[in-house]
Amino acid sequence: MSATSNATRQAGLAGRVRTLLALEGPVAATMLTVFQYFVVSVAFIGCLVPAVAFTALVGWQPTHLALWLGVLSLLPVVPAVYALLCSSRRLLADRADAQGGRLYWRSFVRACRDLWWAAAGASAVALLLSYDLALFGDADAMLLFVVAGAAVAVVLLIAVCVVAAAGPARRPVETLSIAARAVALRPHIGLAWLLLIALGVAGAGLPVIGSALALFLPALLGAAIHICNDALRLPLTDETRRTP
């Protein structure tokens, strides 16, 4: 009886292991989900190549040419953030079946068409803050103003992308008003976005594991922003809320 019981337990354990390691089992699904996050993150990092190239080749300089080149290198950021939010929402919903890379590039092309005004506005704000820093950077008050202005611009940029990613195409004024109203009603959500970004940047700067973490960080931040919005109830209209 004991030998039969042991054989039964071993057979059951072997069956559970086979189920766990099957091609459609939880281990494979988890690995595919991790790979989806990797693909979306690498796609986002690829959109930042102009900004990285500018930083490496030119860097910050208080000259007209450097300031304008730096602003131009930031033009892909808004479409990249929009695409990141669209694909990370799908990753949260569908996990291994999300096809995040394909959705990312479709969303990026759509954002280049529909959110050109947001990209141009963000670049204009960046240019204004850059000139303020170049001309009056020695003053502590101006430095604080530039930091605060950059933080507000980042929060508003994310809010615009959240609104655009959560609903159908709208006119620029309508999208901007919904985003500004949502942030004004829940300012702590904007602060949470900034905290998530700061933690992500700090994590990417860690020795040894920072570079590996950076390859998954953008998609993780996009998912964290959606979780934050849902948990803290970012106020969007009912017709605006939908899963892309």
Side-chain angles (χ1 to χ4, degrees), residues 169-215:
R170 298 171 180 272
R171 292 177 299 176
V173 174
E174 187 177 4
T175 301
L176 185 60
S177 63
I178 293 175
R181 180 177 180 274
V183 173
L185 291 176
R186 298 286 193 277
H188 55 285
I189 297 181
L191 294 176
W193 294 344
L194 295 176
L195 178 60
L196 288 173
I197 294 173
L199 291 176
V201 172
L206 292 175
V208 183
I209 65 172
S211 57
L213 177 62
L215 295 177

Coordinates of all heavy atoms in Angstrom, one line a residue, residues 169-215:
A169 N -10.2 60.0 -31.0 CA -9.5 61.2 -31.4 C -10.4 62.4 -31.1 O -11.6 62.4 -31.4 CB -9.2 61.2 -32.9
R170 N -9.8 63.5 -30.5 CA -10.5 64.7 -30.2 C -9.8 65.9 -30.7 O -8.6 65.8 -31.1 CB -10.7 64.8 -28.6 CG -11.5 63.7 -28.0 CD -11.4 63.8 -26.5 NE -12.2 62.7 -25.8 CZ -13.5 62.8 -25.5 NH1 -14.1 63.9 -25.8 NH2 -14.1 61.8 -25.0
R171 N -10.5 67.0 -30.6 CA -9.8 68.3 -31.0 C -8.8 68.6 -30.0 O -8.9 68.3 -28.8 CB -10.8 69.4 -31.1 CG -11.8 69.2 -32.3 CD -12.8 70.3 -32.3 NE -13.6 70.4 -31.1 CZ -14.5 71.3 -30.8 NH1 -14.7 72.3 -31.7 NH2 -15.2 71.2 -29.7
P172 N -7.7 69.3 -30.4 CA -6.6 69.6 -29.4 C -7.1 70.3 -28.2 O -6.7 70.0 -27.1 CB -5.6 70.4 -30.3 CG -5.9 70.0 -31.7 CD -7.3 69.7 -31.8
V173 N -7.9 71.3 -28.4 CA -8.4 72.1 -27.2 C -9.2 71.2 -26.2 O -9.0 71.3 -25.0 CB -9.2 73.3 -27.7 CG1 -9.8 74.0 -26.5 CG2 -8.4 74.3 -28.5
E174 N -10.0 70.3 -26.8 CA -10.8 69.5 -25.9 C -9.9 68.5 -25.2 O -10.1 68.3 -24.0 CB -11.8 68.7 -26.8 CG -12.8 67.9 -26.0 CD -13.8 67.2 -26.8 OE1 -13.7 67.3 -28.1 OE2 -14.7 66.6 -26.3
T175 N -9.0 67.9 -25.9 CA -8.0 67.0 -25.2 C -7.2 67.7 -24.1 O -7.1 67.1 -23.0 CB -7.1 66.3 -26.2 OG1 -7.8 65.7 -27.2 CG2 -6.1 65.4 -25.5
L176 N -6.7 68.9 -24.4 CA -5.9 69.6 -23.4 C -6.8 70.0 -22.2 O -6.3 69.9 -21.1 CB -5.3 70.8 -24.1 CG -4.4 71.7 -23.2 CD1 -3.2 70.8 -22.8 CD2 -3.9 72.9 -24.0
S177 N -8.0 70.4 -22.5 CA -8.9 70.8 -21.3 C -9.2 69.7 -20.4 O -9.3 69.8 -19.2 CB -10.2 71.5 -21.9 OG -10.9 70.6 -22.6
I178 N -9.5 68.5 -21.0 CA -9.8 67.3 -20.2 C -8.6 66.9 -19.4 O -8.7 66.6 -18.2 CB -10.3 66.1 -21.1 CG1 -11.6 66.4 -21.8 CG2 -10.4 64.8 -20.3 CD1 -12.1 65.4 -22.8
A179 N -7.4 67.0 -20.0 CA -6.2 66.6 -19.3 C -5.9 67.6 -18.1 O -5.6 67.2 -17.0 CB -5.0 66.6 -20.2
A180 N -6.0 68.9 -18.4 CA -5.8 69.9 -17.4 C -6.8 69.8 -16.2 O -6.4 69.9 -15.1 CB -5.8 71.3 -18.0
R181 N -8.0 69.5 -16.6 CA -9.1 69.4 -15.5 C -8.8 68.2 -14.7 O -9.0 68.2 -13.5 CB -10.4 69.3 -16.2 CG -11.6 69.2 -15.2 CD -12.9 69.2 -15.9 NE -14.0 69.0 -15.0 CZ -14.5 67.8 -14.5 NH1 -13.9 66.7 -15.0 NH2 -15.5 67.8 -13.7
A182 N -8.4 67.1 -15.3 CA -8.2 65.8 -14.5 C -7.0 66.1 -13.6 O -7.1 65.6 -12.4 CB -7.8 64.7 -15.5
V183 N -5.9 66.7 -14.0 CA -4.8 67.0 -13.1 C -5.2 68.0 -12.0 O -4.7 67.8 -10.9 CB -3.6 67.5 -14.0 CG1 -2.5 67.9 -13.0 CG2 -3.1 66.4 -14.9
A184 N -6.0 69.0 -12.4 CA -6.4 69.9 -11.4 C -7.2 69.3 -10.3 O -7.1 69.7 -9.1 CB -7.1 71.1 -12.0
L185 N -8.1 68.4 -10.7 CA -9.0 67.7 -9.7 C -8.2 66.7 -8.8 O -8.6 66.4 -7.7 CB -10.1 67.1 -10.4 CG -11.2 68.0 -11.0 CD1 -12.2 67.2 -11.8 CD2 -11.8 68.9 -10.0
R186 N -7.2 66.1 -9.4 CA -6.4 65.1 -8.7 C -4.9 65.4 -8.8 O -4.1 64.7 -9.4 CB -6.7 63.7 -9.2 CG -8.1 63.2 -9.1 CD -8.4 62.8 -7.7 NE -9.7 62.0 -7.7 CZ -10.9 62.6 -7.6 NH1 -11.0 63.9 -7.6 NH2 -12.0 61.8 -7.6
P187 N -4.4 66.5 -8.2 CA -3.0 66.9 -8.3 C -2.1 65.8 -7.7 O -0.9 65.7 -8.2 CB -2.9 68.2 -7.6 CG -4.1 68.2 -6.7 CD -5.2 67.5 -7.4
H188 N -2.6 65.1 -6.7 CA -1.7 64.1 -6.2 C -1.4 62.9 -7.2 O -0.3 62.3 -7.0 CB -2.3 63.5 -4.9 CG -3.7 62.9 -5.1 ND1 -4.8 63.7 -5.3 CD2 -4.1 61.6 -5.3 CE1 -5.9 62.9 -5.5 NE2 -5.5 61.7 -5.5
I189 N -2.2 62.8 -8.2 CA -1.9 61.8 -9.2 C -0.7 62.2 -10.0 O 0.2 61.4 -10.4 CB -3.1 61.5 -10.1 CG1 -4.2 60.9 -9.2 CG2 -2.7 60.5 -11.2 CD1 -5.5 60.6 -10.0
G190 N -0.7 63.5 -10.3 CA 0.5 64.1 -11.1 C 1.8 63.9 -10.2 O 2.8 63.6 -10.8
L191 N 1.7 64.2 -8.9 CA 2.9 64.0 -8.1 C 3.3 62.5 -8.0 O 4.5 62.2 -8.0 CB 2.5 64.5 -6.7 CG 2.3 66.0 -6.5 CD1 1.9 66.3 -5.1 CD2 3.5 66.8 -7.0
A192 N 2.3 61.6 -8.1 CA 2.6 60.2 -8.1 C 3.4 59.8 -9.4 O 4.3 59.0 -9.4 CB 1.4 59.3 -7.9
W193 N 2.9 60.4 -10.5 CA 3.6 60.2 -11.8 C 5.1 60.6 -11.7 O 6.0 59.9 -12.1 CB 3.0 60.9 -12.9 CG 1.6 60.5 -13.2 CD1 1.0 59.3 -12.9 CD2 0.6 61.2 -14.0 NE1 -0.3 59.2 -13.4 CE2 -0.5 60.4 -14.0 CE3 0.6 62.4 -14.6 CZ2 -1.7 60.8 -14.7 CZ3 -0.6 62.8 -15.3 CH2 -1.7 62.0 -15.3
L194 N 5.3 61.8 -11.1 CA 6.7 62.3 -11.0 C 7.5 61.4 -10.1 O 8.7 61.1 -10.3 CB 6.7 63.7 -10.5 CG 6.1 64.8 -11.4 CD1 6.0 66.1 -10.7 CD2 6.8 64.9 -12.7
L195 N 6.9 60.9 -9.0 CA 7.6 60.0 -8.1 C 8.0 58.7 -8.8 O 9.1 58.2 -8.6 CB 6.7 59.7 -6.9 CG 7.3 58.8 -5.8 CD1 8.6 59.3 -5.3 CD2 6.3 58.5 -4.7
L196 N 7.0 58.2 -9.6 CA 7.3 56.9 -10.3 C 8.5 57.1 -11.3 O 9.4 56.3 -11.4 CB 6.1 56.5 -11.1 CG 4.9 55.9 -10.2 CD1 3.7 55.7 -11.1 CD2 5.3 54.6 -9.6
I197 N 8.5 58.2 -12.0 CA 9.6 58.5 -12.9 C 10.9 58.7 -12.2 O 11.9 58.1 -12.6 CB 9.3 59.8 -13.8 CG1 8.0 59.5 -14.6 CG2 10.5 60.2 -14.6 CD1 7.5 60.8 -15.4
A198 N 10.9 59.4 -11.1 CA 12.1 59.6 -10.3 C 12.6 58.2 -9.8 O 13.9 58.0 -9.8 CB 11.9 60.5 -9.1
L199 N 11.8 57.4 -9.3 CA 12.2 56.1 -8.8 C 12.7 55.2 -9.9 O 13.7 54.5 -9.8 CB 11.0 55.4 -8.1 CG 10.5 55.9 -6.8 CD1 9.3 55.2 -6.3 CD2 11.7 55.9 -5.8
G200 N 12.1 55.3 -11.1 CA 12.6 54.6 -12.3 C 14.0 55.0 -12.7 O 14.8 54.2 -13.0
V201 N 14.2 56.3 -12.8 CA 15.5 56.9 -13.2 C 16.5 56.5 -12.1 O 17.7 56.1 -12.5 CB 15.4 58.4 -13.3 CG1 16.8 59.0 -13.6 CG2 14.5 58.8 -14.5
A202 N 16.2 56.5 -10.9 CA 17.1 56.1 -9.8 C 17.5 54.7 -9.9 O 18.6 54.2 -9.7 CB 16.6 56.5 -8.4
G203 N 16.4 53.8 -10.2 CA 16.7 52.4 -10.4 C 17.6 52.1 -11.5 O 18.4 51.2 -11.5
A204 N 17.4 52.8 -12.6 CA 18.2 52.6 -13.8 C 19.7 53.0 -13.6 O 20.6 52.5 -14.3 CB 17.7 53.4 -15.0
G205 N 19.9 53.9 -12.6 CA 21.3 54.3 -12.3 C 22.0 53.4 -11.3 O 23.1 53.6 -10.9
L206 N 21.3 52.3 -10.8 CA 21.9 51.4 -9.8 C 23.1 50.7 -10.5 O 23.0 50.3 -11.7 CB 20.9 50.5 -9.3 CG 19.8 51.0 -8.4 CD1 18.8 49.9 -8.0 CD2 20.4 51.6 -7.1
P207 N 24.2 50.4 -9.8 CA 25.2 49.6 -10.4 C 24.8 48.2 -10.6 O 23.9 47.7 -9.9 CB 26.4 49.7 -9.3 CG 25.7 50.1 -8.0 CD 24.5 50.9 -8.4
V208 N 25.4 47.6 -11.6 CA 25.2 46.1 -11.9 C 23.8 45.9 -12.5 O 23.7 45.4 -13.7 CB 25.4 45.2 -10.7 CG1 25.3 43.8 -11.1 CG2 26.8 45.5 -10.1
I209 N 22.8 46.1 -11.7 CA 21.4 45.8 -12.2 C 20.7 46.9 -12.9 O 19.7 46.7 -13.6 CB 20.5 45.3 -11.0 CG1 20.3 46.5 -10.1 CG2 21.2 44.1 -10.3 CD1 19.3 46.1 -9.0
G210 N 21.3 48.1 -12.9 CA 20.6 49.3 -13.5 C 20.4 49.2 -15.0 O 19.4 49.4 -15.5
S211 N 21.5 48.7 -15.7 CA 21.4 48.6 -17.1 C 20.4 47.6 -17.6 O 19.7 47.8 -18.5 CB 22.8 48.3 -17.7 OG 23.3 47.1 -17.1
A212 N 20.3 46.5 -16.8 CA 19.4 45.4 -17.2 C 17.9 45.9 -16.9 O 17.0 45.6 -17.6 CB 19.7 44.1 -16.4
L213 N 17.8 46.6 -15.7 CA 16.5 47.1 -15.4 C 16.0 48.1 -16.4 O 14.8 48.2 -16.7 CB 16.5 47.8 -14.0 CG 15.2 48.4 -13.5 CD1 14.1 47.4 -13.3 CD2 15.5 49.1 -12.2
A214 N 16.9 48.9 -17.0 CA 16.5 49.9 -18.0 C 15.8 49.3 -19.2 O 15.0 50.0 -19.8 CB 17.7 50.8 -18.4
L215 N 16.1 48.1 -19.5 CA 15.5 47.4 -20.7 C 14.1 47.0 -20.5 O 13.4 46.7 -21.4 CB 16.4 46.2 -21.1 CG 17.8 46.5 -21.5 CD1 18.5 45.2 -21.8 CD2 17.8 47.4 -22.7

